[in-house]
Structures are given as structure tokens and as C-alpha cells.
Amino acid sequence: MIRKLLLLLVAGLVALVLALALVGWSLRSALDQPLKLESERLIEVVPGDTPGGLLNRLEGEGVLDGAFWLRLYWRFNLPGQALHSGEYRLTPQQSARDLLELWRRGEVVQYSLTLVEGWSFRQVRAALVRQEKLEQRLADLDDKALMDRLGLAGVSPEGRFFPDTYRYVRGMSDLDLLKQASARLDQVLDEEWARRVDGLPYRKPYDALIMASMVEKETGVAEERGQIAGVFVRRLRSGMRLQTDPTVIFGLGERYNGNLTRAHLQQPTPYNTYVIDGMPPTPIALAGREAIHAALNPVAGKSLYFVARGDGSHVFSETLEQHNRAVREYQLKRRADYRSSPAPR
């Protein structure tokens, strides 16, 4: 009797060992199998998706086998592991183990959008619409309604976002990205405002942002930004008008056809600094950190005028007589390749 019991126990142990070995082999085979793909593809994970459901789907599509064993592996080895939403890139070189590791790390595919210094808000909106992977929640809203959605009711959208490269994943929206750009601007503006020099003609950081936008549009030459800001600040202090062409162009809007005329300079708009005193009511473009820094740390000096040389840089003058000579030299005798701003990089 005892002998029979021992034989049964041994047989049971052998069966258990064999079963465990079979389970181990099945798990390893399922994990190490290469994905059945001929080319790279993306798989989207949306909120509510589970690893088990996705594995069953991939098995149904013939991408892998043994979804049961892979679900079992995830359940016991990664309990409570969150599955991040987004797109995951699958390649023929990957194994099922690699796929599970991608999900574990949350390595979703990232896309990027660059908002460029000097852009108008119209250009920002056009760039957002071109992002196919970005959920479009704002495209049908006018600017006022858009700013309301951002929690910035009554604020002009011009210049209100920081020019930078922003990364996003499938499932994010244009609203999410603009919130990032708005918060980033607040951060940079606060940092630079804290480092400003004394005696500036600004009541609040927004005034500096307006100044920075004019500096941004006047020059792309880094070393000139502080000089341009210095001219504008000295003009404000002395009661002179700023008389900067980019504000006139902005005020003309769609009426501007690329040719700025004397009549345009005399045409009243809230932005025409040849007509109005002080600064325009809002920024006229996106301003980068360098332009904001220049507006808050203008270069000291006596120059009150500047004129474009034609290569993107400017000649600075202290007197109107000097300025008129520079105008005659660089504006009235323009070269064929004349440029008021640097060539695009």
C-alpha cells in the first residue's frame, strides 16, 4: 500500500515537473517569437485598452501567436502596470518580449511641432492644423473663442505663446499644445522680468513682451537685438514715436501685399507706430527668449535711429543727419540682393 502511494506521489511529481517545464517552454516560445511583420507599423493604444485585449487583437491579425501565454506573463510579472495611451512602433526585428517591454516603458511614438520666432498667430494656427496626429479641437473656433478655451479670456493671442519645439503623442490635442506654449511663455517672461535692468519704461511684463515682439521682427541678428531695444527704449523715454515698419505691416493685415508704401506709413491703425505714440496695444509676433532678454536689458548708448544695410544687419545713428546719410547710402541705392532681414537658414 505504502509502495503504491509512493509510486503515485512520484508520478504526480514527475507530471508536475513536466507540466511546469511545458508552461516554461510555452512562455519562452511565446515571448521570444519574432513578430510576423513585413514592414514597420504603428499600433494605437487608446484609453480603456488592456494588454490582454491588444494581444488578442494582434493574434487575430496574425502578428503573433500564443496570446494566452503573453497575457499570463503580463498578469503575473507586471501586475498593476499602467498602459500608456499613444502609438507604439512595431518592426519586423522585434519579438513579443520587445513589444511587452515597449508597453512597460510606455515608449510611445512622439511627434514635434516647432513654433518659430517672429510668427503671427495666424501662422501658429496654420501649423497646428497641419499636424495630422494632433486632435483638432480649436480649428473651428475664432481667436476669441480659442483664447476663452485656454482660460485667457480677453487676452490677444498675438505673441502669447513661446516659440519652441513641442513634442506630443497621438491622443493629445491642439488645445494641450497651446496650453504648454502659453505656460512656457509665462515661465520665460517671469524669469527674464526678474533679471531686468532698472528704469525701463514698462509698467508690467506684458509691455516688455510687446517690445520684444518688435525687436524680433526688426532683426534676426542676435548681437543687434539689444541695440534695437536700446533705440526703442530711448525713443519712448524722450517722447519720440517708435516708427518701426513691422508694426505698420501688422496693422495692415491682409491688405499688405509685400510692398510698404509712404501711404501705408501715414494710414492710421492702432499698430502704426508712425502715427500712434508709444507702443502698439499687443505684441505683433512670437518673441523668443533672446528678444525678451533684449527688451528687458537694452544696450545703453545714444543712437536713436537705425537703417537696414541690405544684408540683414543695420547701421545705427545718433542724429537725424547721420541717419539720413545712411538712408541715402543703403536704402536709396539698393543692391539687387537687398534684404531688410537675414536670409532664411
Side-chain angles (χ1 to χ4, degrees):
M1 184 68 179
I2 294 176
R3 185 177 180 183
K4 288 183 178 180
L5 288 174
L6 288 174
L7 288 173
L8 288 173
L9 179 61
V10 169
L13 289 173
V14 169
L16 178 61
V17 170
L18 290 174
L20 290 174
L22 179 62
V23 168
W25 179 84
S26 298
L27 276 173
R28 285 193 300 274
S29 297
L31 288 167
D32 294 336
Q33 66 177 304
L35 299 182
K36 299 178 181 66
L37 295 171
E38 295 183 359
S39 60
E40 180 181 294
R41 65 167 284 189
L42 298 177
I43 178 173
E44 183 179 4
V45 175
V46 300
D49 278 344
T50 64
L54 292 169
L55 289 169
N56 286 339
R57 191 174 95 195
L58 291 173
E59 184 174 48
E61 294 173 358
V63 175
L64 51 78
D65 297 318
F68 168 80
W69 297 107
L70 297 173
R71 294 198 309 271
L72 196 68
Y73 177 85
W74 184 279
R75 181 177 302 170
F76 286 100
N77 288 273
L78 300 167
Q81 173 72 45
L83 187 59
H84 296 281
S85 301
E87 291 176 312
Y88 292 83
R89 180 173 285 109
L90 309 186
T91 67
Q93 294 77 29
Q94 289 173 330
S95 65
R97 188 191 302 272
D98 295 328
L99 171 62
L100 297 185
E101 184 63 14
L102 278 180
W103 288 351
R104 184 189 71 80
R105 296 196 303 265
E107 281 191 14
V108 294
V109 177
Q110 291 191 337
Y111 301 93
S112 65
L113 170 63
T114 299
L115 304 183
V116 180
E117 292 92 341
W119 269 10
S120 68
F121 188 58
R122 181 185 300 176
Q123 290 173 295
V124 171
R125 297 200 67 165
L128 287 170
V129 170
R130 289 195 296 269
Q131 303 303 304
E132 296 179 358
K133 300 291 185 175
L134 202 60
E135 183 182 343
Q136 301 292 326
R137 296 184 183 178
L138 305 174
D140 295 331
L141 302 181
D142 61 22
D143 288 355
K144 180 182 180 301
L146 182 150
M147 296 302 282
D148 289 346
R149 288 286 299 276
L150 286 170
L152 296 170
V155 177
S156 169
E158 292 298 340
R160 194 54 191 78
F161 305 94
F162 189 71
D164 203 349
T165 296
Y166 296 91
R167 299 195 179 280
Y168 64 92
V169 300
R170 182 74 175 260
M172 288 181 61
S173 70
D174 48 3
L175 180 64
D176 298 325
L177 194 143
L178 282 186
K179 283 182 176 179
Q180 289 184 36
S182 176
R184 178 71 175 137
L185 176 70
D186 289 337
Q187 176 190 353
V188 171
L189 193 55
D190 287 345
E191 290 171 355
E192 294 298 334
W193 182 259
R195 303 188 190 111
R196 70 190 185 280
V197 299
D198 295 331
L200 294 172
Y202 313 136
R203 294 173 300 156
K204 54 186 182 297
Y206 190 70
D207 295 335
L209 185 63
I210 295 173
M211 175 65 76
S213 72
M214 292 187 291
V215 171
E216 193 73 78
K217 292 300 289 184
E218 276 289 4
T219 183
V221 180
E223 57 270 21
E224 284 191 348
R225 292 191 179 107
Q227 292 176 276
I228 297 287
V231 169
F232 287 154
V233 165
R234 284 187 288 276
R235 285 190 162 212
L236 287 176
R237 285 172 176 161
S238 65
M240 293 177 63
R241 286 178 174 165
L242 295 178
Q243 296 184 324
T244 171
D245 292 355
T247 63
V248 181
I249 294 170
F250 181 85
L252 290 172
E254 294 182 358
R255 290 172 291 168
Y256 178 65
N257 61 5
N259 180 32
L260 191 64
T261 66
R262 186 178 298 275
H264 288 146
L265 301 183
Q266 297 170 349
Q267 185 173 336
T269 75
Y271 291 87
N272 186 345
T273 52
Y274 284 84
V275 175
I276 65 170
D277 296 326
M279 293 192 296
T282 73
I284 60 172
L286 301 185
R289 183 186 284 272
E290 292 79 6
I292 295 172
H293 182 82
L296 290 165
N297 297 269
V299 171
K302 297 181 180 180
S303 58
L304 290 170
Y305 307 90
F306 57 86
V307 64
R309 281 194 176 95
D311 60 358
S313 65
H314 295 81
V315 175
F316 294 85
S317 305
E318 295 181 13
T319 68
L320 184 57
E321 181 182 0
Q322 293 171 347
H323 176 64
N324 287 336
R325 284 202 301 268
V327 169
R328 286 193 295 271
E329 180 176 356
Y330 293 103
Q331 293 282 310
L332 302 182
K333 299 177 181 178
R334 293 188 175 186
R335 311 189 316 250
D337 61 346
Y338 178 90
R339 300 187 63 87
S340 61
S341 60
R345 289 178 295 178

